[in-house]
Amino acid sequence: MSLQMLINAILLGGLYALMGIGFSLQWGISGIINLSYGAMVILGSYISLEFFNLFHLDPFISMIMSGAILFVIGAAIYRTLLQPLIKGGIVFTLILTFALRLVIENIILKVWSADYRTIRVTYAGSNFQFGDAYIPLIKFLAFIVAGILIYLTYLFMMKTKTGKGIQAVALDKEGAQAVGIDVEKMYLINFALGTALAGLTGSLWASIYSFSPHLLGSIVGKVFIIAILGGLGNIWGAAAGGLLLGIAETTGAVFFGSEWQEALGMVIMVSVLVWRPYGLMGKKFFG
Amino acid sequence: MEENNIILTIKSLSKYFGALKAVDEVSFEVKRGEILGLIGPNGAGKTTITNVVTGTYPKTSGSVIFEDTDISNLKPYQIARKGLTRTFQVVKPLIGMTVEENVLVGSLYGRDKRNTDMKNASKRAREIIKLVGLESKKDSLVSDITLPDLKKMEFARVLAMEPEVLFLDEVMAGLNPAEVEEASILVKRVRREKELTIVYIEHIMKAVMGISDRIVVLHHGRKIVEGTPQEVVNNSAVIEAYLGKRYAKEVNNEG
Amino acid sequence: MFNNKKVNIFLIIVGIIIFIFLPRFVSGYWVRVITTIFMYAVISQGINLMSGYMGYLPFGNAMFFGVGAYITAIGMGKGLSFLAVLPLAALTAILVSILFGLPVLRLRGHYFAIATIGMSGALLSVVQNATEITGGAMGTTLPIIDKSPEVTYNYFYLAMLALMVITTLTIYLIIKSKFGFGIRSIKANEEAANSMGINTTYHKVIAWAISALFTSIAGALYAYWMSFIGPEEVFDVMIAVNTIVIMLIGGAGSILGPIIGAFVISLLSEVVWSTFLEYHLAVLGITIIIIVFFVPKGITGAIADFVKKRELRLRKKVSV
Ligand SMILES: Nc1ncnc2c1ncn2[C@@H]1O[C@H](COP(=O)(O)OP(=O)(O)OP(=O)(O)O)[C@@H](O)[C@H]1O
Ligand SMILES: [Mg+2]
């Protein structure tokens, strides 16, 4: 593998890492497989697009808005739709989040159409050299920002009272309830945090690549793989899973041809599921 | 002659959870037709022994010989089919089914080499429901009945499996004194009628005394005493295990 | 659904007879719509057996539909007749279900559901890339039946109806049998089931094989009917999603649930398609949300609750 390829893989993997964490937290801690996650990522992209078209706002700035708006949307969805049905089990939450996906997809199609869109910032073409490899400036920035966001999420979980509460709930729901933690509130914040991360990823994505509602399905496929590779609800696990998927896709494309990319990801996921059900990081995070 | 009388042999059985030795080199035998009390304070390892013997957990080491075959590497369903069955300390009803359907499943599956076609199994299930006194509840969903009835249902369900050896894990827990009385009578009667061998698990000593032929006492995963109820009740190690060292000394000084 | 067994059997036979003669009274368009409904009912029964009765949600069940469709396309492309290729298609699907099922059916809940999606995705890629055999991503054609379209459509209508009746009857008999109690026990409490002497692995694998069998036959018929199939279309996760919704709306774990659900959802989306062309996704999504919220036990569940309540009221009146 050439240096250029490795760098490409890692830059892509960084975005995947950020994207996977939100999904992994929602699944691992709130117990919801969010099939509308892809729609939420893309929604983040379109929010940045609007801010760019209206105010010429750089996606690296408008991502804050994406995150905030999706946090609110996530909280509202959780409170009104998911929370009442969570006891119904996996079938209900899967179907419900799928229905949500249809609604969001329809809204996106209606407002922005199915065409691919791009945000072209002025420094889009800039590169710098590293060894004999070229690194596109914007991808590098996005990678750094993704890293910072992942670290902030980690800090939030480790250092803040709410974050610790969420962890307590994830480890032992009854125990957490017994010591007076508002379990439902923790689930809600965790879920909303997950959608916020989806929105943030969407903005970063929009600064580099073009996007359309067509991407929705493949995003969900990818976050599944990332979350399972890393172990559900595990932040560093998902980060590692994201990097790994980036590398697997990039190298897989070279060795097997890019048409096998998705199959490769799926095969890796199923293998991990069967042999290491708690992910490659190996720690059982929730029951 | 003597040999033939032993139905179940547990030989240096161990089960570790990481560093915790939940069951540690425990050996004892169960005679055909007896009620063997298995007692010990909370966390002594009683349920863990049951889980290992019935195949729910893999053993760490040792062996379990049931009627001349080592069953310690078999799966739970294989062991159940050989005729060794258990109830659960925390009842595990088949949610979504009625009382009768629960018992029917036990009757349809359970020990093999018997007639388990639908007609026969239904007949057996109805008889056993009658035997434990659940007839009036037979069409209720298990989610709609009380805890004592659930325990009866679970008892009926294992009886319908027609086992030879039955591990009853704290079947009296959560019952009031009157219900305990009723349940003990039922267990004794059923044992006689069905010629069952029972390993009777309790952590309340008093409840076991009246019902057991012999008793094995566990403490911290080890067997500390084995004997008749009388022998066990007067054993200082047992008293110590249950009540702590100081009390044991006082009892000994008085005696 | 109702308490009297004889009345039920009578109603069902009348229903079947009505459906047999229905094509004479409705337009070709509706014949095709109802054929699709039958097809969805069959796939949904496969999901119902696994999820409604056994508690394992096979999110990737579309793969058996795809396998059935593609084996049929390939076999007929090699000159075999449909009836010769049908057992091959079913056998392949069963083989796939056993091969995949053995490792994956050890997983519970979410994990199982997701693993099946992964397998379905992987199979889709294989079909897309094995261009020489499958025709690749562009899809492949099947021989067209040498009859008028109307005759052909009636033929598929009846075949799909027969498949639905056979599937439903088979699953009904399975559920009432010893094996059926075995799989229902797995849903209720897998650990207890195992300790009661039920070989859970065996039950799960066989149940999935049965599910695969019927789903693959539906796929085979579909391929022959359409005479053109593409991989994205027959391995579409949406097939599973739709049929899960159908099961939920009809009533999970109820034998007529998938059929009722298939009619309700399909007729509903017919209306939605024609009236809210641009918003059909959203309207469908919202409809699903509303149904999941207000009829969580599905239509058959709601009817059963209603009957139960009425009986209780009647009993009370009698005792007063
Ligand atoms: N699955 C498990 N994983 C880890 N530790 C376990 C597990 N099951 C039991 N233990 C531990 O093993 C020890 C023995 O537990 P066990 O349930 O066998 O006790 P017991 O004698 O049945 O107690 P009780 O009277 O409370 O039912 C305890 O310290 C318990 O915490
Ligand atoms: Mg116990």
Side-chain angles (χ1 to χ4, degrees):
Chain A
M1 186 160 61
S2 72
L3 178 66
Q4 182 71 57
M5 247 173 73
L6 183 68
I7 287 173
N8 289 349
I10 291 175
L11 291 179
L12 178 66
L15 269 188
Y16 282 176
L18 181 65
M19 183 163 84
I21 288 172
F23 183 77
S24 181
L25 287 176
Q26 292 182 334
W27 186 358
I29 295 176
S30 299
I32 289 164
I33 299 182
N34 184 4
L35 293 180
S36 67
Y37 196 82
M40 289 166 169
V41 172
I42 296 290
L43 201 55
S45 304
Y46 283 105
I47 290 172
S48 277
L49 177 72
E50 282 304 304
F51 277 107
F52 186 75
N53 286 346
L54 292 175
F55 310 110
H56 265 278
L57 215 53
D58 193 297
F60 284 104
I61 297 167
S62 63
M63 65 186 294
I64 299 168
M65 270 68 101
S66 291
I69 293 173
L70 273 140
F71 186 91
V72 174
I73 293 179
I77 287 174
Y78 185 84
R79 173 77 0 122
T80 54
L81 298 177
L82 293 167
Q83 190 182 326
L85 277 177
I86 215 161
K87 280 207 187 71
I90 168 191
V91 189
F92 284 107
T93 47
L94 276 177
I95 289 303
L96 207 71
T97 55
F98 190 80
L100 272 170
R101 174 204 147 148
L102 293 180
V103 175
I104 300 174
E105 191 178 355
N106 203 159
I107 293 171
I108 292 176
L109 281 170
K110 197 63 204 148
V111 180
W112 291 287
S113 87
D115 299 341
Y116 273 90
R117 301 300 185 95
T118 3
I119 299 177
R120 244 193 110 69
V121 287
T122 46
Y123 49 94
S126 323
N127 285 314
F128 63 90
Q129 202 163 0
F130 178 82
D132 48 6
Y134 282 99
I135 301 179
L137 178 63
I138 198 159
K139 286 191 184 179
F140 180 71
L141 284 179
F143 180 82
I144 299 294
V145 172
I148 293 171
L149 286 172
I150 293 170
Y151 189 63
L152 286 178
T153 310
Y154 171 75
L155 281 185
F156 168 76
M157 285 293 183
M158 293 324 248
K159 300 279 186 244
T160 65
K161 199 176 158 205
T162 314
K164 285 179 183 165
I166 291 174
Q167 281 199 56
V169 172
L171 287 172
D172 177 4
K173 188 180 166 189
E174 275 79 35
Q177 213 149 20
V179 297
I181 295 174
D182 183 347
V183 172
E184 277 309 334
K185 191 171 146 200
M186 295 302 139
Y187 282 154
L188 177 120
I189 293 174
N190 178 66
F191 186 85
L193 178 67
T195 49
L197 288 169
L200 289 165
T201 314
S203 292
L204 284 182
W205 186 270
S207 71
I208 307 172
Y209 305 101
S210 49
F211 49 93
S212 100
H214 295 300
L215 294 177
L216 238 151
S218 83
I219 291 177
V220 176
K222 288 189 204 310
V223 288
F224 265 128
I225 298 167
I226 297 165
I228 282 165
L229 281 179
L232 300 183
N234 187 331
I235 293 176
W236 293 121
L243 279 176
L244 216 68
L245 182 65
I247 292 168
E249 280 190 0
T250 317
T251 53
V254 171
F255 288 114
F256 303 101
S258 61
E259 67 273 22
W260 287 102
Q261 236 180 42
E262 297 218 338
L264 187 71
M266 294 296 178
V267 169
I268 293 175
M269 177 182 82
V270 174
S271 312
V272 171
L273 267 175
V274 171
W275 283 289
R276 298 289 308 253
Y278 305 117
L280 294 176
M281 305 292 266
K283 212 171 98 199
K284 183 176 174 176
F285 195 67
F286 89 114
Chain B
M1 195 68 218
E2 259 294 90
E3 276 295 279
N4 221 353
N5 218 7
I6 305 294
I7 190 164
L8 182 70
T9 310
I10 286 156
K11 259 191 214 154
S12 333
L13 192 65
S14 297
K15 174 70 193 176
Y16 302 162
F17 294 111
L20 174 74
K21 299 181 172 180
V23 175
D24 191 10
E25 296 276 326
V26 171
S27 302
F28 61 88
E29 290 172 336
V30 184
K31 293 184 190 139
R32 198 179 289 277
E34 76 173 338
I35 296 189
L36 178 74
L38 186 58
I39 66 170
N42 284 119
K46 308 178 294 288
T47 300
T48 306
I49 286 197
T50 311
N51 281 333
V52 176
V53 169
T54 55
T56 308
Y57 291 164
K59 69 182 177 185
T60 302
S61 62
S63 59
V64 180
I65 315 288
F66 177 53
E67 296 190 317
D68 303 330
T69 28
D70 188 346
I71 58 166
S72 60
N73 291 314
L74 298 184
K75 301 226 166 66
Y77 78 89
Q78 293 170 315
I79 295 171
R81 286 181 180 185
K82 285 187 177 300
L84 195 158
T85 302
R86 52 94 60 94
T87 60
F88 293 94
Q89 183 167 351
V90 182
V91 277
K92 293 194 196 298
L94 300 174
I95 300 286
M97 296 194 194
T98 65
V99 169
E100 183 171 352
E101 285 175 327
N102 263 265
V103 181
L104 178 59
V105 173
S107 182
L108 280 168
Y109 290 88
R111 191 158 60 103
D112 53 14
K113 299 198 184 86
R114 61 199 187 118
N115 191 336
T116 55
D117 65 34
M118 192 50 92
K119 215 174 125 207
N120 243 284
S122 311
K123 195 170 141 241
R124 181 162 51 229
R126 279 195 300 273
E127 280 167 13
I128 286 167
I129 286 171
K130 203 193 259 175
L131 179 75
V132 302
L134 268 182
E135 248 182 327
S136 58
K137 305 267 167 54
K138 73 177 170 52
D139 293 324
S140 308
L141 287 174
V142 282
S143 46
D144 294 342
I145 62 177
T146 59
L147 181 69
D149 283 342
L150 269 180
K151 297 224 158 191
K152 272 189 202 165
M153 183 284 292
E154 205 171 55
F155 189 48
R157 200 170 68 186
V158 289
L159 288 181
M161 293 166 69
E162 299 191 302
E164 290 185 76
V165 176
L166 182 52
F167 277 65
L168 295 177
D169 194 356
E170 306 210 8
V171 278
M172 307 296 179
L175 303 187
N176 67 34
E179 289 160 353
V180 168
E181 184 64 29
E182 190 195 334
S184 320
I185 293 172
L186 180 66
V187 170
K188 279 192 218 168
R189 202 179 91 220
V190 166
R191 197 262 301 227
R192 231 181 307 115
E193 276 179 30
K194 306 258 165 202
E195 297 175 346
L196 274 174
T197 305
I198 292 179
V199 177
Y200 190 90
I201 295 164
E202 266 303 337
H203 74 263
I204 313 164
M205 253 209 306
K206 230 175 93 187
V208 204
M209 292 304 155
I211 208 169
S212 313
D213 301 313
R214 286 188 315 127
I215 288 177
V216 167
V217 188
L218 290 180
H219 188 40
H220 290 321
R222 296 184 145 268
K223 181 175 94 173
I224 53 171
V225 183
E226 177 176 352
T228 63
Q230 268 315 305
E231 286 163 10
V232 166
V233 96
N234 292 324
N235 188 296
S236 58
V238 176
I239 297 166
E240 197 178 302
Y242 268 87
L243 302 167
K245 278 200 170 93
R246 255 186 53 212
Y247 187 78
K249 266 186 202 134
E250 282 169 29
V251 172
N252 277 348
N253 289 344
E254 279 170 28
Chain C
M1 202 164 26
F2 300 103
N3 283 330
N4 193 321
K5 208 173 171 184
K6 276 188 191 140
V7 173
N8 274 346
I9 293 175
F10 177 74
L11 283 176
I12 286 166
I13 291 175
V14 169
I16 293 172
I17 291 172
I18 291 177
F19 276 123
I20 290 175
F21 292 104
L22 191 65
R24 293 172 186 223
F25 306 103
V26 297
S27 71
Y29 174 76
W30 281 103
V31 171
R32 291 195 297 278
V33 168
I34 298 173
T35 311
T36 316
I37 294 179
F38 294 154
M39 182 181 87
Y40 272 126
V42 171
I43 305 169
S44 186
Q45 283 293 20
I47 303 255
N48 196 25
L49 179 70
M50 286 297 287
S51 169
Y53 290 110
M54 201 172 76
Y56 277 74
L57 188 67
F59 226 97
N61 244 23
M63 70 178 130
F64 302 124
F65 188 81
V67 166
Y70 262 95
I71 297 290
T72 306
I74 295 165
M76 293 184 79
K78 297 231 181 312
L80 292 173
S81 75
F82 178 72
L83 286 180
V85 96
L86 188 63
L88 275 180
L91 219 65
T92 313
I94 289 174
L95 223 66
V96 169
S97 79
I98 293 174
L99 220 66
F100 283 177
L102 280 174
V104 165
L105 280 162
R106 289 186 305 158
L107 305 169
R108 301 231 175 130
H110 292 172
Y111 294 99
F112 173 76
I114 298 327
T116 64
I117 298 190
M119 292 173 156
S120 183
L123 264 185
L124 167 63
S125 282
V126 170
V127 171
Q128 278 173 328
N129 291 316
T131 313
E132 271 110 75
I133 310 169
T134 61
M138 299 302 290
T140 183
T141 51
L142 290 88
I144 294 174
I145 299 175
D146 197 14
K147 299 238 168 59
S148 78
E150 197 176 320
V151 173
T152 316
Y153 287 144
N154 279 353
Y155 166 77
F156 282 109
Y157 173 94
L158 289 176
M160 215 55 107
L161 172 63
L163 178 61
M164 181 182 80
V165 172
I166 292 169
T167 306
T168 307
L169 196 69
T170 312
I171 292 183
Y172 177 78
L173 292 175
I174 288 172
I175 289 311
K176 293 291 165 194
S177 74
K178 176 172 171 174
F179 185 84
F181 275 97
I183 64 168
R184 284 174 62 204
S185 304
I186 291 173
K187 179 181 185 179
N189 190 324
E190 190 160 345
E191 198 190 344
N194 204 335
S195 83
M196 285 163 79
I198 296 171
N199 183 347
T200 46
T201 310
Y202 169 83
H203 279 72
K204 289 189 283 188
V205 170
I206 298 294
W208 209 22
I210 295 167
S211 178
L213 166 69
F214 291 120
T215 311
S216 67
I217 297 178
L221 274 176
Y222 177 81
Y224 195 21
W225 179 29
M226 292 292 123
S227 76
F228 175 83
I229 51 166
E232 300 262 0
E233 168 200 5
V234 292
F235 282 92
D236 192 353
V237 180
M238 274 305 287
I239 296 175
V241 172
N242 278 332
T243 46
I244 292 169
V245 172
I246 282 171
M247 170 191 77
L248 282 178
I249 285 163
S254 128
I255 194 69
L256 293 180
I259 298 175
I260 295 171
F263 272 93
V264 171
I265 269 290
S266 303
L267 296 180
L268 202 74
S269 43
E270 278 298 313
V271 175
V272 169
W273 262 111
S274 49
T275 7
F276 306 97
L277 203 51
E278 287 182 6
Y279 293 99
H280 76 273
L281 283 179
V283 174
L284 202 64
I286 291 167
T287 314
I288 293 173
I289 293 173
I290 290 173
I291 291 175
V292 167
F293 250 83
F294 295 103
V295 213
K297 285 187 193 167
I299 295 168
T300 56
I303 292 175
D305 280 355
F306 176 76
V307 171
K308 209 169 161 187
K309 261 191 207 139
R310 206 184 52 184
E311 271 178 13
L312 280 179
R313 258 209 318 274
L314 285 180
R315 246 184 255 165
K316 264 188 202 146
K317 264 186 199 158
V318 170
S319 61
V320 170

